[in-house]
Every structure is written in structure tokens, then in C-alpha cells.
Amino acid sequence: MRALLLAAGLGTRLRPLTNHIPKCLVPIGERPLLDYWLHSLFASGVERILVNTHYHESLVLDFLRKSKFKDRIDTVSEPKLLGTAGTIANNYDYFAGQSCLVAHADNFCVCDFNKFIAAHENRPSHTCMTMMTFNAPDPKQCGVIELDENQVVQQFFEKVDNPPSQLANAAVYILEDSVSKHCRTISKAAPDLSIDVIPEFLGQIFTWHNPLYHIDIGTQESYNAANQKLLELGPEFNKLGWFNSRLAV
């Protein structure tokens, strides 16, 4: 399996922290967000990772060049942001014919990715995508979902005033080729996975719930919360191998 880490965003809500550093490189503890993603995905059997770049591109490229995983990382520059679905479409050949894990590298996600991948491999036969879910403390700021008895998405509510639950889309997906191929058919500029793709696949999206921790590092408050949670989740990190010396940069 290959993965796409979306790392091109501007991080405007996190300014001034992101005035001189891209959002994907803001530190949680002493390590950049992007570093957590590289370690967790490669430790879970992902073969290669594609990272898209735009804002403070030189800093992201410099970080990746110094990574112990540099030989398994590919990059693609976006002089103009393409949108999440647009990036998938533009790099379809990188994933063609195989499953593709897609995640936002500016989220802080603590979970067992082996279990997430296994859930996708054992998903119901009529589904073509697996979405990670989490319990959102403020569901009005998230895409909230409703499931059937088989944990398949039936309804999707993107940032509505009265969300029906706290069960939210973590914006971490495993896509089959049919979904990646669909992204190529969208004609609008900068198409978005949540807005332009998920509604087209309702009833075909399996879910896996992350019981540990997931947060969008979108504001100073969420950034502070993630750093605090890091201290609380030390034992879980040890179990996942994140602090093992063999994973150190």
C-alpha cells in the first residue's frame, strides 16, 4: 500500500505560529507533526509515501531530505493548491491499481494503523473506502456521520449547526482504485474529498473508529491541547513504537 500525506496547507488559523513554518512541521512535543505520520505509517507496512508541498515548500523538502525514510518518500510540488481530491487525481498514476491511504499531515493522530488497514482489508464487499472516525469534542467544526448496523456511512453532515452526534470524520481514508479514479472525473477547480467525493459514495464507505486520540491542529487552542495530550498518552506511544530508538530520526 502507498500513502498520500497532504502537507501543502497554509495554516492561516494557526498564525502567527505558521508565519514562518508550515503547519505540517509545527512541533508536538519536540517532533514535527509530519514526523509522527512518517513513523506511524512506515511502521504499519506502508511501502512508499507521497507528500504534496506548497506553503514554505523549501522547509518541508529540507525536513524530508534529512528523514531516515528519505529513500521511501516522494514529493510533488503544487504551485497552485489543487484541493484534496484534486491532488489525488493529479497523482493517480502513483496509486493506480492499488489501495491508497490518504491523510492530512497537519492533524495529530494517535492510533494503531495496523488495525485500521486490517479493517479496510476485511471491509464489507460492497464498500470501496474506509474512513477513520473519532469522537469530536466540538462536532460543529467537523464532518459528522451516521452509520448503519454494519458501520457503513449513510449520512454525512459537513460542519452543520446542529450535528446529530459527535461521531466525526477524521479525514484519514483508505481508498480503492475506483474512488481514486472517480477523483479524475470531477471538473470543478480544487475539488475536495469531503465536499465533492464522500457524498457520491454514501452507502459504500466503511468506517473504523479510532479509540485513542485525533485532533485537527487548526487553532492555538487545539495545538495546546495536542501538546497536553502527548504527555498523557506516553504509554500508548510506547506500545505503538513511536518512542522506540529504532524509529528515531
Side-chain angles (χ1 to χ4, degrees), residues 108-248:
F108 185 50
C109 182
V110 182
C111 77
D112 188 335
F113 278 92
N114 287 306
K115 292 182 178 179
F116 179 50
I117 294 170
H120 179 74
E121 293 172 345
N122 294 284
R123 69 192 184 280
S125 59
H126 68 284
T127 60
C128 53
M129 177 192 314
T130 300
M131 171 195 293
M132 185 183 295
T133 64
F134 73 110
N135 291 325
D138 185 3
K140 290 188 292 186
Q141 301 301 315
C142 305
V144 172
I145 60 175
E146 288 187 347
L147 308 177
D148 66 11
E149 64 278 6
N150 297 312
Q151 307 305 304
V152 174
V153 179
Q154 300 299 309
Q155 296 290 331
F156 182 70
F157 308 89
E158 179 67 18
K159 296 180 181 178
V160 296
D161 290 335
N162 297 296
S165 74
Q166 289 185 298
L167 187 63
N169 174 15
V172 183
Y173 313 96
I174 301 177
L175 314 179
E176 286 302 297
D177 184 64
S178 59
V179 183
S180 300
K181 192 173 293 183
H182 175 79
C183 292
R184 304 176 78 187
T185 69
I186 304 173
S187 58
K188 69 178 285 189
D192 182 84
L193 267 173
S194 294
I195 296 172
D196 303 302
V197 177
I198 288 177
E200 299 297 318
F201 286 89
L202 294 178
Q204 302 176 66
I205 304 171
F206 187 51
T207 59
W208 179 82
H209 191 70
N210 179 0
L212 294 180
Y213 190 65
H214 183 91
I215 190 170
D216 172 14
I217 309 298
T219 65
Q220 187 65 49
E221 291 74 20
S222 62
Y223 176 66
N224 293 340
N227 275 282
Q228 177 60 39
K229 196 67 176 180
L230 177 70
L231 300 175
E232 301 172 15
L233 287 175
E236 296 298 336
F237 286 157
N238 288 333
K239 280 191 269 184
L240 295 172
W242 285 16
F243 289 159
N244 190 304
S245 59
R246 69 182 176 82
L247 293 180

Side-chain angles (χ1 to χ4, degrees), residues 6-28 31-35 51-64 81 105-107 217-218 223:
L6 299 162
L10 303 178
T12 53
R13 292 179 298 153
L14 204 53
R15 289 176 180 167
L17 182 60
T18 51
N19 282 344
H20 305 291
I21 186 173
K23 192 175 169 186
C24 67
L25 293 186
V26 298
I28 302 297
R31 298 169 62 181
L33 276 166
L34 184 54
D35 193 35
V51 180
N52 72 330
T53 59
H54 174 78
Y55 183 63
H56 287 306
E57 178 180 71
S58 62
L59 295 180
V60 179
L61 294 176
D62 184 60
F63 169 78
L64 294 175
L81 291 174
D106 52 10
N107 290 340
I217 309 298
Y223 176 66

Side-chain angles (χ1 to χ4, degrees), residues 50-104:
L50 179 66
V51 180
N52 72 330
T53 59
H54 174 78
Y55 183 63
H56 287 306
E57 178 180 71
S58 62
L59 295 180
V60 179
L61 294 176
D62 184 60
F63 169 78
L64 294 175
R65 278 193 293 266
K66 296 176 181 177
S67 170
K68 66 173 290 184
F69 303 114
K70 60 181 182 293
D71 293 336
R72 299 169 65 189
I73 299 169
D74 302 292
T75 61
V76 58
S77 175
E78 292 187 9
K80 182 178 180 180
L81 291 174
L82 299 175
T84 51
T87 298
I88 294 169
N90 199 53
N91 297 282
Y92 173 77
D93 289 343
Y94 190 81
F95 307 102
Q98 60 180 290
S99 302
C100 165
L101 192 153
V102 180
H104 292 257

